[in-house]
Amino acid sequence: MSSAKDVKGPRARGPEAAPGGGADLEPPSGQDPEPPARDGGTDPEPPPPGGVLWSLSGDIRALLMLPAALTLQVAHPAVGAGVDEHSVFRTDPWGRGERSLRSLQLWVYGGAEAAEEGRRLRVLHRTIQGTDTRGRRYHALTPANYAWVHATGFPVYQHAARYLIRPMTPAQERALYAEWLQVGRVLGIHDRDMPQTIEEFWPYWKKMLAEEIEATAVVRELVDVGQPVPAPDRGPWPLRMVLRALWPVLLPPLARFRRFATIGLMPPDARAAVGLPWSAEQEKRLRRMCAVLRVVVPVLPERLRYLPRARAARAAHRTAAPNG
């Protein structure tokens, strides 16, 4: 997902690429551009404290899972075209990443802010429209497109957790899926547009991999180790100056690691559908790296193990608990 600053004007490709360039790009009739209210007109609630997502999405190891999910999102022709034409991920990758991470953390740990973030994102995506790589007109809020962006999170979390944390039990997988559906409601995705059970999800997933997913231009960029990336522009000034000076040396190994983690933590069937290579030797390296992380991360103090928003939410929940 993006934030307001992530959107720029489309590239000059003629009238059909301009926002508002055709009425057929509007979301289908009857699709409310605002998140659906629950019973009594209340906002949908974020996932519950203490749930699977509560522990998973704020763990620093989740940072390694995000590139795989983001790459799968843009493997959809419509989503890839939207990001290609409307995102600032090339010119402001660090800012976009920071805003996207903040948004994701709000969905889970934001409390009342979660639904507001969902509304903000839907307003943001109202003008994202154009023509995808297959010549089809798209709109970001078309239910199939918007739902796919969200749907990628569940299989990536489920798969990557086997490596980085531990395999989930069937009960945990069901809980994770139910909580991910709840996040979808926060984002304004109607129940009718997402499979409502795991049994319904996997056929949907396989169909999408077989019929829609491809190595779009944005996918190729995201796994290209030679792609130029500007030095980080966040953090203390002295650190930024050091990184800027060392960036020509640091970027190549970081780019190789990004590609390694992106492809390695992507579910194998999705990796095959996109056409990304993965060898037995790479699999061994991934398992060795993840084995170290499974030992080291759990013994870190909470201030190092969890991202700031997750850490603050966990502390507030403990304080508010009856025995807190």
Side-chain angles (χ1 to χ4, degrees), residues 19-294:
D24 58 320
L25 296 183
E26 292 303 313
S29 176
Q31 188 69 35
D32 189 344
E34 298 298 331
R38 301 296 104 187
D39 293 341
T42 59
D43 286 329
E45 294 289 334
V52 178
L53 272 175
W54 188 262
S55 297
L56 182 60
S57 64
D59 189 299
I60 58 171
R61 288 169 288 186
L63 294 175
L64 293 173
M65 305 178 190
L66 296 181
L70 293 171
T71 302
L72 271 179
Q73 290 171 12
V74 298
H76 188 292
V79 180
V83 170
D84 187 26
E85 297 177 355
H86 297 270
S87 174
V88 298
F89 81 99
R90 296 182 182 94
T91 57
D92 185 24
W94 303 103
R96 186 187 189 278
E98 180 181 71
R99 293 186 293 271
S100 295
L101 183 61
R102 174 185 175 276
S103 184
L104 188 154
Q105 295 289 289
L106 280 174
W107 308 342
V108 178
Y109 304 105
E113 294 180 76
E116 181 58 35
E117 177 67 3
R119 281 190 287 270
R120 186 188 70 83
L121 288 170
R122 288 184 70 82
V123 170
L124 165 72
H125 286 83
R126 283 175 177 170
T127 60
I128 299 178
Q129 53 192 349
T131 304
D132 70 16
T133 56
R134 301 182 186 180
R136 302 173 301 189
R137 303 283 278 175
Y138 73 83
H139 191 292
L141 292 180
T142 296
N145 302 338
Y146 202 58
W148 170 254
V149 171
H150 179 62
T152 57
F154 168 69
V156 170
Y157 272 143
Q158 184 248 19
H159 174 71
R162 299 175 185 172
Y163 289 80
L164 290 163
I165 302 174
R166 68 177 66 88
M168 295 184 191
T169 66
Q172 288 171 329
E173 288 187 3
R174 289 182 179 280
L176 173 63
Y177 191 72
E179 292 174 21
W180 201 237
L181 286 177
Q182 189 61 22
V183 171
R185 297 179 189 114
V186 167
L187 296 176
I189 298 172
H190 293 261
D191 285 351
R192 64 177 177 264
D193 297 322
M194 277 287 291
Q196 292 299 291
T197 66
I198 288 182
E199 288 79 9
E200 294 172 345
F201 177 81
W202 292 120
Y204 157 80
W205 171 252
K206 293 181 184 301
K207 180 179 175 65
M208 292 295 293
L209 295 184
E211 299 179 4
E212 286 289 339
I213 302 313
E214 63 183 37
T216 63
V218 181
V219 166
R220 293 193 295 271
E221 282 190 46
L222 291 178
V223 297
D224 181 3
V225 297
Q227 194 69 22
V229 178
D233 57 1
R234 298 297 192 273
W237 180 83
L239 176 61
R240 283 185 282 132
M241 293 302 99
V242 171
L243 288 174
R244 182 180 298 178
L246 296 177
W247 197 238
V249 176
L250 295 175
L251 178 56
L254 288 174
R256 289 193 295 270
F257 178 76
R258 178 192 63 192
R259 175 185 170 90
F260 174 73
T262 298
I263 300 176
L265 293 175
M266 188 179 291
D269 53 353
R271 185 193 302 148
V274 180
L276 296 174
W278 188 249
S279 68
E281 179 57 35
Q282 287 174 311
E283 180 69 16
K284 291 178 183 178
R285 286 169 48 206
L286 179 67
R287 289 180 182 274
R288 287 196 297 267
M289 180 191 78
C290 292
V292 172
L293 292 174
R294 287 198 305 270

